[in-house]
Amino acid sequence: MERKSPIRITTEQFFHDIAGITFFTMRYFRNLFRSRFEFNEFILQCFRTGYNSLLLVGITALILGLVLTIQIRPIIADLGAEAWLPNMVFISVVTELGPVIFALLFAGKVGSGIGAELSSMRVTDQIDAMEVSATNPFNYLVVTRVTATTIMFPILVFLGDLLAFVGSFIGLKAYSDITFKLFYSRAFGDFFFSDIFPATIKTIFFGFFIGIISSYMGYFSGKGTEGVGRAANAAVVASSLVIFLLDLIAVEITDLIVY
Amino acid sequence: MEQDRILHISNLHKSFDGRKVIDGVDLSLISRENLVVLGKSGSGKSVIMKCIVRLLEPDQGSIHVFGTDVLNCSEKVLNTVRKRIGYLFQEGAMYDSMTVRENLLFPVKRDEKMRRLGEKALNEIVERNLESVGLIDAIDKLPAELSGGMKKRAGLARTLMLSPEMIIYDEPTTGLDPHTAGSINELILKVREIYDTSSVIITHDIKCARVTGDRLVILHDGKIIIGGTYEELKNSQDEEVSIFFN
């Protein structure tokens, strides 16, 4: 039998996964609209993916706002444009840094959890057990998780943006006597709907693809406990790559439409 | 006789990565019969069972369950057939995140007919089934709190929830101490008496085969090499057969 080179195996696996995720996504939409929606499981997954990630995203957001402000302030001050600082930090957090950094955190926490959970269910025959009892494991396990990540991630980003705003204010207040009212008016002074809308759309896609990719990696894993580790790992790596790819596409589209 | 036949497998073939695992298997099961499929580990016993419920697609052959060609039917028809089959997995396959009660309620809550019975009636069925497998005290425990034998009992109770007419037992006594294995064997016989089921039991445990089986077949190199009662097989001069009995 012909022995395949590692490069060929990796390339084949890559295209196999691309095709697999495409069919998996189509199956998600088919099940979402045609099958009975598992509402209780969906609420549980919203709690797990959203509420349980709140502290992590919140602390990161607060520090992000704080650090950005402290680091940028001296440079901006040298240029005599300190009044622009709140707006600059807020726009960079809302449009770019917030969604991407929170998405990477979300992929690490929630994506790896979904990948590991589904793959361990696969390894211990739990998914097969659902299938042979004529229930729909895809509907129960995948549709609920993907819908939950798609809805909860934009909400997390919104809350994260608010906390980054607070962090930025704390950072600036430490070096100046700016009032919250003035900080608020400067932050939102040149802030437009066109800044927030593409970023929000982007977060919906981030949440959706983190859910889909992680579920795919877990649902089709195998080969014992090693498969569980690999699924969790692959969920994070693939989701992170897709986040950057989607971000690039979103920036290009926004650039074309808005400017 | 033909109408009593609830499972008929003909000329079944299955390969994995070019390696033939099942090579022309023919098998049938009649009503209320306990058929034991004996074979060494990796001989393909589980593969045949997974083909029966179409968890795996065979390369060639036909499988009729309750007269339905399960390899060439719609998903809807397949699910109707699956509801009439109970499948007890090797480790019980209990859903980790649910209690034993929730595990048992899971398939019935997703069955239109059963759901109409209402919460109270379903809970009564859960309790009755757990009592019949001797596990009523574990009703609100999580699978992680159960021993290996208890998980198999709980798994069996779950398969009984949809009142199956045929049960597939995948290595029911593997990994259990002799005492617990003995109680599982008794349970298999008890389930047939109470629930009027037919069973396919795949195992390499000769004691389990002797106690539970009406008829035994031996799978070797992907083929059924012999079939008969325990006594007939025990007296066989075939070297591959005598390995199991010595």
Side-chain angles (χ1 to χ4, degrees):
Chain A
M1 208 159 69
E2 186 198 357
R3 199 182 164 84
K4 290 177 183 173
S5 71
I7 294 171
R8 190 172 159 190
I9 292 169
T10 311
T11 313
E12 278 181 7
Q13 186 61 45
F14 175 76
F15 285 109
H16 177 267
D17 283 342
I18 295 281
I21 290 167
T22 308
F23 283 113
F24 202 73
T25 306
M26 285 157 61
R27 195 174 164 191
Y28 165 80
F29 284 111
R30 205 169 54 233
N31 273 269
L32 179 67
F33 296 116
R34 284 190 190 167
S35 303
R36 173 178 174 252
F37 190 68
E38 297 277 356
F39 190 74
N40 290 345
E41 180 65 11
F42 165 70
I43 295 295
L44 178 70
Q45 291 308 322
C46 283
F47 178 79
R48 283 187 184 168
T49 57
Y51 180 77
N52 287 352
S53 306
L54 204 57
L55 188 67
L56 180 70
V57 170
I59 291 171
T60 311
L62 199 72
I63 295 171
L64 179 70
L66 198 68
V67 168
L68 261 181
T69 306
I70 293 170
Q71 285 203 323
I72 295 173
R73 196 196 59 83
I75 305 162
I76 294 286
D78 283 350
L79 295 169
E82 206 171 358
W84 287 82
L85 186 62
N87 187 249
M88 205 179 137
V89 170
F90 196 55
I91 285 182
S92 58
V93 167
V94 168
T95 57
E96 184 56 36
L97 287 175
V100 171
I101 290 177
F102 303 149
L104 293 175
L105 284 174
F106 197 70
K109 187 180 188 299
V110 175
S112 64
I114 291 173
E117 186 186 11
L118 295 191
S119 67
S120 89
M121 287 185 80
R122 171 66 72 195
V123 168
T124 54
D125 293 325
Q126 292 175 51
I127 294 179
D128 283 348
M130 285 183 186
E131 192 114 38
V132 295
S133 62
T135 53
N136 185 343
F138 191 92
N139 204 29
Y140 181 76
L141 299 171
V142 177
V143 172
T144 52
R145 279 162 178 76
V146 177
T147 310
T149 57
T150 309
I151 291 172
M152 294 317 289
F153 184 65
I155 296 172
L156 276 174
V157 172
F158 175 74
L159 295 172
D161 289 346
L162 289 181
L163 282 165
F165 178 75
V166 174
S168 179
F169 172 69
I170 294 168
L172 199 58
K173 183 78 180 166
Y175 296 91
S176 66
D177 56 355
I178 190 168
T179 61
F180 187 75
K181 197 178 170 189
L182 182 61
F183 179 84
Y184 179 87
S185 67
R186 282 180 178 175
F188 288 96
D190 285 315
F191 198 75
F192 302 105
F193 180 71
S194 60
D195 291 321
I196 202 164
F197 185 70
T200 307
I201 298 293
K202 192 163 70 175
T203 58
I204 294 170
F205 279 96
F206 284 176
F208 175 76
F209 277 100
I210 290 169
I212 275 285
I213 291 167
S214 308
S215 298
Y216 171 80
M217 294 300 176
Y219 203 78
F220 292 117
S221 74
K223 294 167 191 165
T225 46
E226 194 194 348
V228 178
R230 265 193 208 169
N233 185 269
V236 178
V237 173
S239 297
S240 304
L241 280 174
V242 168
I243 287 163
F244 285 113
L245 194 67
L246 284 173
D247 192 43
L248 179 69
I249 295 168
V251 167
E252 288 298 322
I253 292 173
T254 310
D255 202 41
L256 278 173
I257 294 173
V258 181
Y259 305 106
Chain B
M1 186 70 182
E2 186 62 35
Q3 63 268 30
D4 284 345
R5 196 195 278 180
I6 58 172
L7 168 70
H8 182 63
I9 299 174
S10 175
N11 194 29
L12 196 74
H13 291 259
K14 178 73 185 169
S15 301
F16 291 102
D17 297 326
R19 193 176 72 90
K20 213 158 188 81
V21 176
I22 301 298
D23 189 9
V25 162
D26 296 299
L27 207 63
S28 63
L29 176 76
I30 59 166
S31 184
R32 280 186 60 81
E33 183 185 29
N34 276 1
L35 170 70
V36 171
V37 181
L38 269 171
K40 287 184 279 186
S41 295
S43 60
K45 307 184 292 288
S46 297
V47 173
I48 300 175
M49 300 308 128
K50 285 184 175 174
C51 287
I52 293 173
V53 287
R54 233 169 95 183
L55 284 176
L56 287 173
E57 296 283 342
D59 302 330
Q60 197 189 320
S62 72
I63 301 174
H64 287 82
V65 187
F66 308 117
T68 305
D69 181 357
V70 290
L71 302 179
N72 295 298
C73 65
S74 66
E75 203 178 322
K76 197 176 170 190
V77 173
L78 177 66
N79 280 337
T80 314
V81 174
R82 279 173 170 171
K83 282 180 187 169
R84 297 170 72 185
I85 304 173
Y87 199 121
L88 179 62
F89 286 85
Q90 203 166 332
E91 307 292 336
M94 299 295 285
Y95 311 135
D96 289 335
S97 57
M98 303 177 200
T99 63
V100 171
R101 183 198 298 274
E102 288 163 346
N103 260 279
L104 267 68
L105 284 171
F106 186 84
V108 289
K109 278 190 169 174
R110 282 149 189 85
D111 181 77
E112 210 62 50
K113 212 168 72 186
M114 294 291 280
R115 212 171 46 222
R116 272 191 232 126
L117 294 175
E119 196 81 17
K120 196 178 167 220
L122 291 179
N123 272 309
E124 280 170 10
I125 299 171
V126 166
E127 284 164 19
R128 198 172 60 225
N129 282 351
L130 282 174
E131 257 166 30
S132 69
V133 298
L135 214 63
I136 190 71
D137 293 337
I139 191 164
D140 290 317
K141 286 187 175 172
L142 285 166
E145 298 171 85
L146 306 179
S147 67
M150 287 164 92
K151 277 182 193 166
K152 289 194 183 184
R153 283 165 183 269
L156 180 56
R158 190 179 61 196
T159 66
L160 294 171
M161 286 303 290
L162 290 171
S163 308
E165 294 155 58
M166 172 184 145
I167 301 178
I168 295 169
Y169 295 91
D170 188 349
E171 308 272 11
T173 56
T174 299
L176 301 178
D177 63 85
H179 179 73
T180 313
S183 69
I184 294 284
N185 291 339
E186 282 170 22
L187 194 57
I188 292 171
L189 295 174
K190 189 178 155 192
V191 163
R192 176 168 67 172
E193 291 311 311
I194 298 174
Y195 295 91
D196 204 19
T197 55
S198 317
S199 309
V200 183
I201 302 145
I202 56 173
T203 186
H204 55 248
D205 174 4
I206 197 68
K207 193 179 174 198
C208 170
R210 180 173 58 81
V211 175
T212 60
D214 300 318
R215 186 162 61 94
L216 283 66
V217 293
I218 293 181
L219 189 68
H220 181 72
D221 283 342
K223 290 187 172 92
I224 301 281
I225 53 169
I226 193 168
T229 62
Y230 177 82
E231 292 303 325
E232 284 166 354
L233 264 63
K234 195 182 174 190
N235 296 327
S236 168
Q237 300 301 311
D238 191 311
E239 203 179 311
E240 291 298 340
V241 177
S242 57
I243 288 171
F244 287 97
F245 295 88
N246 298 318

Coordinates of all heavy atoms in Angstrom, one line a residue, chain A residues 30 47 104 170:
Chain A
R30 N -30.7 23.1 8.8 CA -31.9 22.1 8.5 C -32.5 21.7 9.8 O -33.8 21.7 9.9 CB -31.3 20.9 7.8 CG -32.4 20.3 6.9 CD -31.8 19.2 6.0 NE -31.0 18.3 6.6 CZ -29.7 18.0 6.3 NH1 -29.2 18.6 5.3 NH2 -29.1 17.0 6.9
F47 N -26.6 29.6 29.8 CA -26.1 29.8 31.1 C -24.6 29.4 31.1 O -23.7 30.2 31.6 CB -26.9 29.0 32.1 CG -26.3 29.1 33.5 CD1 -26.6 30.3 34.3 CD2 -25.5 28.2 34.1 CE1 -26.2 30.4 35.6 CE2 -25.1 28.3 35.4 CZ -25.4 29.4 36.1
L104 N -11.2 35.2 21.2 CA -10.1 34.2 21.5 C -10.3 33.6 22.9 O -10.1 32.4 23.1 CB -8.7 34.9 21.4 CG -8.3 35.3 20.0 CD1 -7.0 36.1 20.0 CD2 -8.2 34.2 19.0
I170 N -10.9 54.7 34.5 CA -10.1 54.6 35.7 C -8.6 54.9 35.4 O -7.9 55.6 36.1 CB -10.2 53.1 36.3 CG1 -11.6 52.9 36.8 CG2 -9.2 52.9 37.4 CD1 -11.9 51.4 37.1

